[in-house]
Amino acid sequence: MTRKIEILDTTLRDGEQSPGASMNSAEKLIVARQLLRLGVDVIEAGFPPSSPGDFRAVQEIGQLVGDDCVVCAFSRAIEKDIDVAAEALKSARRPRIHTGIGVSQSHLRDKLNITEDECVEQASRAIRYARRFVDDVEFYAEDAGRANKEFLLRVVRAAVEAGATVINIPDTTGYCLPDEYGALVRAVATELEGTGAKLSVHAHDDLGLATALVLAGVRNGATQVECSINGLGERAGNAALEEVVMALSVHEEELGAHTGINTAELVRTSRLVSRITGMAVQANKAVVGANAFAHSAGIHQDGVLKSASTYQIINPSDVGAVGSEIVLSARSGHAALRHRLAELGYSFANEEFDDVYQRFIEMADQKKEVYDEDLESMLEERSRDVEAIYTLDALQIQCGDPLVPTAVATITDEDGVRHVVSSTGTGPVDASYKAIDKVVSVHGDLEEYVVKAITRGIDAIGEVVVRVKSADGMLFTGRGADNDVIVSSAKAYVNAINRMITTQRSREGR
Ligand code: KIV
Ligand code: ZN
């Protein structure tokens, strides 16, 4: 029997720190629901002191997950952060506070300007303080990968004495080589023997080694791996959950370890996170990329037809890469829709379901066949509606050759006032964005615009993802989906503007 490695998913904390990948609390809840289906052991739900939105997300996710998994809130090793994290976790059944401090010379000297003694003291004080609120406190020794080993071991000893239940040894800058990191983790594992504390690994992908680093950690005694869906995270990102989990699955005997992840949910989770964050997954991405199981060369195709194992080490169905072919249509009744949604993990009270069914019928009228991806896209759109400050009610476009592209948009603001505005532009998208700019109260520069078909067929839903830069240089992702890509484009822009305003208000504490 191999030992179980716990998976801490940090998509909603470290992952969300990727520029432009920020999620509001409604979106975080959608992802958390899917993480539950995936079977992660710990959801790191956010950094509550950073904004009221993150506070709410941690609170709501704590309530959502109940006893099914641990919910973790991030904090610095300072009392006021810990107070806020503890407050956000108050109603969680299995709360964890993740607190810590930089331990490398670079962090002590250049970032914190403290001595080693002060660092040990601050870490111990923070852990003792966090233990007043929760029984489960994880301590991170930030930049452990570049720290002095003797000092790191001293901090680890102090952390356990102060009451830490999990010790996290991050290679914050993705600097280490796997065997070097493995040796460091081994030294910490030896230090922790007999204490009962768990040992966690966390690595960044600055040299493309994050997955190799955490696996070296597992070989050397780590009991928990921190990772994120699609490898999202600061800079080059974290170790990708799907890679770590499948490496542990393919090499279970050799590594003597397994996870409790429901691997058949990996592709679905990856797509969901990509849609919500607007961060595309590269086609050749391991495990979840569009080409991960595509065989192009004739020699490869011939081999795979004879036996899949010639060029495949993972069965696509093991990671959910083979889509379900259940197709609903406008003829599908309440029971069929309810049944399919339940299979996808969604359940709704009666009034809510009426609204969902109505939206389904509207979509099915336009699009004859409704696939799982259509349903998920519709539900995501619906849950985003909640935070709408401006709503695009209608859009009329006139364009062609030799017409001057012209857009007439009807937009309702949060006070219920309807605005009808028009503009010309260099093309239909430009004209509609200029029309929208006449109503909204903030200015955004369009930095990126991506359009793709998210569902199948000529009547596919076209999704547009935009990144809009605010005056203070922050990036906001907006998304819109419709059968008409110009309407998708306008919805995406309004969505980005709504996020910008919500974030600004949340920062100002409104
Ligand atoms: O990379 C890192 O060091 C982190 C911690 C602060 C846990 O994300
Ligand atoms: Zn990190």
Side-chain angles (χ1 to χ4, degrees), residues 427-449:
V429 174
D430 185 49
S432 43
Y433 284 19
K434 284 190 171 130
I436 294 165
D437 278 340
K438 290 187 175 171
V439 179
V440 300
S441 59
V442 289
H443 174 74
D445 285 322
L446 185 66
E447 291 279 308
E448 202 179 312
Y449 173 96

Side-chain angles (χ1 to χ4, degrees), residues 52-194:
D54 245 31
F55 181 92
R56 200 166 52 243
V58 171
Q59 213 174 26
E60 290 173 354
I61 292 171
Q63 285 156 6
L64 170 85
V65 305
D67 287 320
D68 292 342
C69 78
V70 173
V71 62
C72 173
F74 186 80
S75 90
R76 292 167 296 178
I78 43 185
E79 291 187 0
K80 70 174 178 10
D81 267 25
I82 295 170
D83 284 335
V84 183
E87 183 63 29
L89 289 170
K90 220 164 162 183
S91 51
R93 300 287 294 263
R94 297 172 63 196
R96 175 183 293 177
I97 292 178
H98 189 187
T99 189
I101 190 165
V103 298
S104 64
Q105 284 309 309
S106 152
H107 279 230
L108 294 185
R109 190 190 53 226
D110 304 332
K111 183 176 104 170
L112 302 165
N113 192 21
I114 55 173
T115 64
E116 290 187 346
D117 288 348
E118 285 166 337
C119 172
V120 173
E121 172 51 29
Q122 189 174 338
S124 304
R125 207 173 335 112
I127 295 164
R128 277 197 300 272
Y129 189 68
R131 281 296 303 258
R132 289 200 206 166
F133 302 100
V134 293
D135 292 334
D136 191 5
V137 173
E138 175 167 342
F139 170 72
Y140 64 82
E142 193 178 5
D143 205 15
R146 293 190 298 166
N148 169 290
K149 188 171 100 188
E150 293 317 315
F151 178 60
L152 173 66
L153 295 179
R154 180 180 162 206
V155 179
V156 166
R157 267 192 304 277
V160 175
E161 268 165 32
T165 45
V166 186
I167 299 293
N168 176 14
I169 304 298
D171 186 9
T172 304
T173 57
Y175 168 78
C176 293
L177 293 171
D179 53 355
E180 189 188 351
Y181 184 65
L184 188 67
V185 173
R186 166 67 53 205
V188 176
T190 307
E191 190 65 52
L192 292 180
E193 261 166 31

Side-chain angles (χ1 to χ4, degrees), residues 345-372:
Y346 298 94
S347 67
F348 297 95
N350 283 345
E351 295 137 51
E352 249 196 316
F353 182 75
D354 289 345
D355 175 54
V356 170
Y357 187 75
Q358 192 49 43
R359 287 170 189 250
F360 160 74
I361 289 295
E362 279 165 22
M363 178 167 65
D365 275 344
Q366 290 180 46
K367 191 180 183 304
K368 291 184 196 70
E369 297 179 325
V370 178
Y371 295 90
D372 291 352

